[in-house]
Amino acid sequence: ETSVAIEQKRITLTGPTMSGKSTLLGTLTMSTLDNGRGKSRLSMLKHRHEIASGVTSSVTQELLGYQDAPDGSVEVVNYATENVASWIDIHVASASGHLVLISDSAGHPRYRRTTIRGLVGWAPHWTLLCIPAADDERTERQRTSSTDLPLSPLNAAPDMDLVGAQLDLCLRLRLPLVVVITKMDTASRTGLRQTLTKILDALKSAARRPEILQNQPGMVSEDMLQYVDEGALLQAYSAAVPLLNDPTATVPIVLTSALDGSGIGNLHALLHELPAPREDSVTTSSALNVFHIEDIYTKLAEADGVIVSGRLRSGKLAVGDVLLLGPFLTAYSQEDSEDSDERTPRRPSSGLPTSRSFPGALRDLHLGAHFYALPGQEWKQVKVTSIRNLRLPVASLLADQVGTVAIVANDQLHGTVLPSTNAFARIRKGMVLATVQPTATKTLVAKFDREDLASLAVGNHVVVYIASVRASARIVSARAPDSPTATHDNNEEEHFSFDQDTTVQQGPDATLDGHHDK
Ligand SMILES: Nc1nc2c(ncn2[C@@H]2O[C@H](COP(=O)(O)OP(=O)(O)O)[C@@H](O)[C@H]2O)c(=O)[nH]1
Ligand SMILES: [Mg+2]
């Protein structure tokens, strides 16, 4: 096996706590119906525990496969499929179909950071925003639960203000979006109408056209969740056509219930039909390798290496490749000691951080021949020892594919191989693996197409999200488009700083204009 050639779409589930995300993921990947009290979610957790690979991550990811059936329908390849118990099995059973990776962003969505990270991390092709069908669910629940269970945080209804805020965020970020109305079984006609009105109003003011998928009447059994019929596929295809040229042209809306199974077939059909946007720049296999690190996994026990997961931004990554890993921020004249990353790196001199361009830095360079020792940053030469694409061992990873990469130190530059603790102790998400050393920067210029920018005043602190990078930053200068002069901050020190476990890099696609890297 060299690489996986079939289409791989990445989907992110978002929406407030209790909006039914994990349940929906359970229903899609296990083909089981929920009981309204977390059955689907629990059975998936149990299942995942059984197949756990010892890898932990801040997001839950599951893989779905779709395989064309001879009668024009599509078979769902998931854990309910015969002989499927792992992602490898899903690869095998979907070999001539295609794959969908679904991320369920964990963490409390009340914290905006987690929400945004879920929308930006792993560069999803599509965002599925889960919104419960009815506003009146809270009162509904309180009534039924008075004789049942006391209202605990676990069965509280989600906050509808939060729903509005999340929809607003998705629209402002101009994300390719699908709205999934969940818990249709709990909704009264009036409740559903109120919810839909809110959504349609929000879409209208963002100039996005809604496209509601009609559910077929009739009962849905768990067996039926395994196949997507031609009618559903045809409807989803029509809904997806306008999205081929412009993924933001419309917003498909699917009405679902994980309890009675309604609309689940339509959701499968849509996941099957949605186009996977591909930038031309991403697909060029001649481009140099840039791999965005999203997560760091347990260190290889035997070798001085580490496993990182993420997305190949460009190029074609192969086993045996020698790459540069970084940037590692080092304290300027400080020894690279074990605890040096615990201290905030400080430069002894004041003055703006170096952000001039380095001639030749992005041209072909003979590895080992030139090594730009930029002040305060360091790159480590590593060698790729194995690659997995969606857990399947492969010889190479293609542009825009995600996977895990095992790397070992290849520090021939300094003639020695550093012990693993030194080589990889300070590896952070947000770093990159690259063929040639990119120019890391501590400042960036962003342009905004809007008026209400009071919160971006000079001196203010912000959080910057670029691909897999999340970093604290401070605004040091600002200028209105029609004003010739800029406002500067005289307090010139670190502009970017470590935000917990992240570091800063600037790839060729760095933007801060509200768009994420697709
Ligand atoms: N009646 C009904 N309950 C649902 C449905 N989907 C989810 N639930 C329930 O809603 C609760 C929260 O669901 P969960 O998936 O954990 O929400 P999350 O926080 O968004 O992941 C659980 O008790 C589920 O059983 C549905 O379609 N109908
Ligand atoms: Mg959940």
Side-chain angles (χ1 to χ4, degrees):
E1 200 108 24
T2 52
S3 59
V4 180
I6 64 170
E7 187 179 84
Q8 307 181 353
K9 269 178 284 201
R10 286 187 301 278
I11 311 275
T12 285
L13 289 172
T14 190
T17 306
M18 294 303 289
S19 59
K21 299 182 296 296
S22 304
T23 302
L24 193 64
L25 188 60
T27 300
L28 292 173
T29 58
M30 313 271 299
S31 291
T32 52
L33 293 173
D34 191 45
N35 60 358
R37 295 185 303 279
K39 174 176 171 262
S40 211
R41 184 187 52 191
L42 278 176
S43 65
M44 190 179 57
L45 280 179
K46 189 164 158 260
H47 178 82
R48 201 178 300 126
H49 187 75
E50 283 161 9
I51 60 158
S53 54
V55 160
T56 54
S57 170
S58 54
V59 287
T60 298
Q61 295 185 317
E62 280 301 341
L63 192 63
L64 269 182
Y66 293 106
Q67 183 76 42
D68 293 341
D71 64 353
S73 68
V74 162
E75 188 187 350
V76 178
V77 180
N78 62 10
Y79 296 126
T81 307
E82 214 176 324
N83 296 324
V84 168
S86 70
W87 285 26
I88 310 275
D89 298 336
I90 293 173
H91 276 278
V92 172
S94 325
S96 60
H98 72 257
L99 297 166
V100 175
L101 177 72
I102 307 182
S103 305
D104 179 6
S105 30
H108 204 294
R110 254 173 223 283
Y111 301 109
R112 225 156 196 254
R113 288 183 170 201
T114 320
T115 308
I116 298 177
R117 183 142 175 102
L119 296 176
V120 175
W122 295 99
H125 299 122
W126 294 92
T127 298
L128 265 53
L129 175 61
C130 293
I131 300 179
D135 227 344
D136 55 359
E137 202 202 0
R138 184 185 292 271
T139 45
E140 202 72 36
R141 258 175 203 281
Q142 266 160 347
R143 192 153 42 73
T144 50
S145 65
S146 58
T147 53
D148 198 358
L149 286 160
L151 195 71
S152 75
L154 256 180
N155 53 19
D159 182 344
M160 286 310 279
D161 291 344
L162 210 56
V163 168
Q166 294 214 351
L167 178 58
D168 184 56
L169 180 65
C170 292
L171 293 172
R172 276 177 189 273
L173 291 173
R174 285 181 227 137
L175 299 176
L177 184 68
V178 172
V179 170
V180 181
I181 306 286
T182 58
K183 308 191 185 186
M184 282 292 286
D185 58 282
T186 65
S188 66
R189 254 174 200 284
T190 355
L192 177 64
R193 196 178 307 125
Q194 282 172 357
T195 306
L196 277 176
T197 305
K198 274 186 205 161
I199 296 166
L200 298 183
D201 285 351
L203 294 183
K204 196 173 177 187
S205 50
R208 300 275 290 264
R209 192 158 52 82
E211 178 76 54
I212 300 179
L213 273 70
Q214 302 298 327
N215 286 348
Q216 283 160 356
M219 299 274 290
V220 179
S221 69
E222 290 188 344
D223 288 347
M224 291 163 73
L225 298 178
Q226 214 56 31
Y227 289 91
V228 192
D229 65 60
E230 244 183 312
L233 288 167
L234 220 63
Q235 184 185 207
Y237 172 77
S238 316
V241 165
L243 301 167
L244 277 167
N245 288 325
D246 177 8
T248 64
T250 66
V251 176
I253 300 177
V254 196
L255 311 168
T256 69
S257 163
L259 196 109
D260 63 26
S262 57
I264 301 296
N266 275 345
L267 186 54
H268 273 304
L270 196 62
L271 292 182
H272 183 267
E273 299 298 334
L274 284 175
R278 304 196 121 191
E279 292 166 77
D280 290 342
S281 62
V282 154
T283 50
T284 47
S285 54
S286 59
L288 296 168
N289 285 319
V290 178
F291 182 86
H292 290 165
I293 297 174
E294 291 273 359
D295 249 317
I296 294 112
Y297 293 144
T298 38
K299 292 175 174 101
L300 301 173
E302 70 287 7
D304 56 331
V306 71
I307 296 171
V308 295
S309 72
R311 166 181 176 252
L312 188 64
R313 171 70 178 78
S314 62
K316 183 178 177 183
L317 193 69
V319 173
D321 280 357
V322 172
L323 302 162
L324 291 165
L325 167 68
F328 289 89
L329 295 192
T330 58
Y332 202 43
S333 52
Q334 206 173 299
E335 263 302 300
D336 188 16
S337 63
E338 270 300 87
D339 61 345
S340 63
D341 60 317
E342 246 68 77
R343 280 172 242 154
T344 316
R346 282 272 164 238
R347 253 190 313 280
S349 63
S350 61
L352 281 163
T354 319
S355 64
R356 64 202 151 92
S357 63
F358 287 80
L362 288 172
R363 265 189 260 128
D364 277 277
L365 76 85
H366 214 66
L367 283 173
H370 306 281
F371 203 80
Y372 294 100
L374 297 176
Q377 64 172 275
E378 186 190 303
W379 294 76
K380 290 182 192 300
Q381 205 182 68
V382 297
K383 192 172 183 173
V384 175
T385 56
S386 75
I387 303 175
R388 285 178 178 232
N389 170 219
L390 300 170
R391 297 190 191 160
L392 184 75
V394 289
S396 58
L397 202 61
L398 306 177
D400 194 41
Q401 289 186 341
V402 296
T404 51
V405 178
I407 49 175
V408 295
N410 192 51
D411 217 342
Q412 287 145 1
L413 289 159
H414 307 111
T416 50
V417 175
L418 299 169
S420 62
T421 42
N422 276 352
F424 293 115
R426 290 175 298 114
I427 185 170
R428 295 287 182 270
K429 62 179 79 171
M431 286 184 177
V432 294
L433 285 169
T435 309
V436 297
Q437 185 186 315
T439 308
T441 179
K442 289 189 158 218
T443 56
L444 66 84
V445 178
K447 239 170 97 178
F448 296 88
D449 269 347
R450 50 187 287 189
E451 307 273 296
D452 50 335
L453 296 171
S455 58
L456 295 183
V458 169
N460 281 6
H461 290 265
V462 292
V463 181
V464 180
Y465 298 83
I466 302 166
S468 56
V469 173
R470 185 192 67 200
S472 301
R474 195 164 51 81
I475 294 156
V476 291
S477 164
R479 188 171 73 86
D482 48 357
S483 118
T485 52
T487 321
H488 283 285
D489 191 345
N490 294 321
N491 182 14
E492 292 170 346
E493 41 167 74
E494 295 288 332
H495 300 135
F496 274 120
S497 65
F498 280 110
D499 185 21
Q500 284 160 5
D501 53 2
T502 55
T503 185
V504 178
Q505 58 92 12
Q506 184 178 5
D509 53 339
T511 54
L512 186 70
D513 59 357
H515 295 270
H516 71 297
D517 165 42
K518 280 175 213 155

